[in-house]
Amino acid sequence: MSQRIFNFSAGPAVMPEEVLKQAQDDLWSLGKSGIGVLEHSHRGKAFSSVLQSAIADCREVGGISDDYEILFLSGGASSQFYMVPMSFLTKADTADYLVTGAWSKKAVADAKRFGQVHVACTSDDKNFSYIPETANYSASPKYVHFTSNNTIFGTEFRADPQPPQGAPLICDASSDIFSRPIDVSKYGLIYAGAQKNLGPAGATLVIIRKDLVEQASSDLPVMLQYRTHAKDDSCYNTPPAFTIYAMGLVFKWILKQGGLKGMAARNEDKASKLYGFLDKSRLFRGTAAADSRSLMNVTFVTGDAKLDEEFIAFAKERSFDGLKGHRSVGGMRASIYNAFPPEGVDALIAAMQEFEDSADRAGRIPS
Ligand code: PMP
């Protein structure tokens, strides 16, 4: 078997090794069933038990009460960009959006098809390198939508936004779900594509308050109504069974690591080492404002596009993959989600130091 390397991909991303090993066994035969996990009917006992455990463990990880449904939907987090406004907005209604990056902008674009959008704050003026401190909400928004972690720009909300009384808070948590403790009761709906912190691509976790399931429009195609999936435990049609199974294993892994408190400690430790290095470096510097830095996606540059490219090639030779930054920011991005191993961060810092020293010797540190 070829050796595994450090994978800094923004998603699909690294998964816990013990989850991959368990999945290898279960691909052949799930438990003693003699049928692999990919081959079980979604209506059979074996998969039902997988699904129910995944739901129960998700509740335990997030401290999610019975006031919320836990759904596994398909169509990616991007489908929530339209499913949310389609469910809750009419042309006469206004929803407030906090615009902190490319994904929020996409969510806004889809919401505008269904109702009025009020941009309560934006960090567009500085290429989304910070999280605005305040928001200017409209009088009575139907809901307030924000992106808790901006995967591309490497920024993350430190505290929950405070929506006006009565307006449900809706969060795209695709790139930081379950990376730290969360008070779900403050939210109306939370959604996250699985492929960063929760498992492989193919399912979107939707945590939705039951009264919102009821309130959502019923004048929609059946598959586009939350109630359809809530009624049938995400099995109205054939669900993304393998992803749900793998997410279930990831939930168990999170619980074994000490739950969300354990995750937060692990993530703070990894990110603070990397930001600590960036703050001292003579060559590399972070692109996100210090008070808005993401613990999940660490974005950085040298200040010289050619040196950035050379560093990415240098890192690739040393078996670090996925470090190229998104084209709208340039430079580098180290995605260090829950499952990313701490020793990978140490190894990256050592490689950055080595590169910096050789750039220094060559007189190539940009002034
Ligand atoms: N929101 C955020 C914050 C993301 O990072 C991404 C994907 N990178 C998406 C939404 C879109 O997710 P999907 O590809 O599952 O539609």
Side-chain angles (χ1 to χ4, degrees), residues 10-11 75-79 81 103-104 147 149-152 172-175 191-196 203-204 337:
S78 301
S79 289
F81 297 165
W103 298 108
S104 335
T147 313
N149 183 77
N150 299 284
T151 326
I152 294 174
D172 172 1
S174 291
S175 49
Y191 63 90
Q195 66 272 18
K196 299 166 199 299
T204 304
Y337 299 118

Side-chain angles (χ1 to χ4, degrees), residues 28-319:
W28 189 247
S29 169
L30 182 61
K32 293 196 170 75
S33 69
I35 297 174
V37 63
L38 294 177
E39 306 160 294
H40 273 283
S41 160
H42 64 294
R43 308 265 174 228
K45 261 197 185 152
F47 182 74
S48 293
S49 143
V50 163
L51 174 66
Q52 291 311 323
S53 298
I55 293 173
D57 289 335
C58 181
R59 281 199 193 282
E60 190 175 342
V61 168
I64 305 167
S65 79
D66 279 343
D67 295 339
Y68 290 80
E69 296 283 358
I70 290 173
L71 310 177
F72 301 100
L73 305 187
S74 43
S78 301
S79 289
Q80 296 306 306
F81 297 165
Y82 66 80
M83 206 160 152
V84 166
M86 188 185 240
S87 300
F88 303 114
L89 273 191
T90 67
K91 286 281 179 210
D93 298 321
T94 298
D96 287 9
Y97 279 71
L98 279 52
V99 179
T100 54
W103 298 108
S104 335
K105 271 168 73 176
K106 286 191 175 173
V108 165
D110 266 356
K112 282 182 174 165
R113 299 174 198 280
F114 300 98
Q116 312 300 312
V117 168
H118 169 75
V119 174
C121 67
T122 175
S123 46
D124 202 1
D125 59 332
K126 291 189 181 155
N127 199 28
F128 298 117
S129 58
Y130 70 103
I131 299 291
E133 264 172 37
T134 54
N136 177 16
Y137 295 107
S138 65
S140 55
K142 279 296 266 213
Y143 60 82
V144 171
H145 179 285
F146 79 111
T147 313
S148 50
N149 183 77
N150 299 284
T151 326
I152 294 174
F153 298 95
T155 61
E156 186 173 20
F157 279 78
R158 290 284 156 86
D160 294 321
Q162 304 291 329
Q165 189 77 28
L169 186 58
I170 296 190
C171 179
D172 172 1
S174 291
S175 49
D176 68 349
I177 181 110
F178 292 166
S179 63
R180 55 184 176 177
I182 180 170
D183 181 355
V184 170
S185 71
K186 287 191 180 158
Y187 293 80
L189 190 159
I190 300 168
Y191 63 90
Q195 66 272 18
K196 299 166 199 299
N197 260 345
L198 304 178
T204 304
L205 174 67
V206 174
I207 303 165
I208 177 171
R209 226 170 53 208
K210 286 181 177 164
D211 61 302
L212 292 178
V213 174
E214 293 308 315
Q215 278 171 38
S217 169
S218 52
D219 189 19
L220 295 172
V222 173
M223 278 294 289
L224 298 183
Q225 296 183 39
Y226 291 112
R227 65 175 58 71
T228 304
H229 305 287
K231 254 189 226 148
D232 260 331
D233 266 350
S234 305
C235 283
Y236 169 77
N237 71 320
T238 316
F242 180 74
T243 303
I244 295 171
Y245 152 82
M247 287 165 90
L249 294 184
V250 171
F251 296 145
K252 285 196 193 307
W253 176 81
I254 294 175
L255 291 170
K256 256 175 57 187
Q257 310 300 309
L260 297 188
K261 277 197 181 144
M263 281 296 114
R266 182 180 153 100
N267 290 326
E268 272 157 26
D269 199 42
K270 286 185 291 183
S272 67
K273 274 188 185 166
L274 196 42
Y275 285 120
F277 174 79
L278 288 171
D279 286 343
K280 283 197 296 209
S281 170
R282 287 157 296 141
L283 177 62
F284 298 99
R285 64 178 167 80
T287 62
D291 62 358
S292 307
R293 287 168 163 176
S294 165
L295 300 194
M296 301 282 98
N297 310 98
V298 179
T299 49
F300 56 99
V301 294
T302 62
D304 171 342
K306 177 131 194 343
L307 271 178
D308 288 350
E309 249 176 59
E310 283 177 35
F311 174 70
I312 291 162
F314 169 92
K316 191 126 200 168
E317 267 170 31
R318 280 155 184 75
S319 297

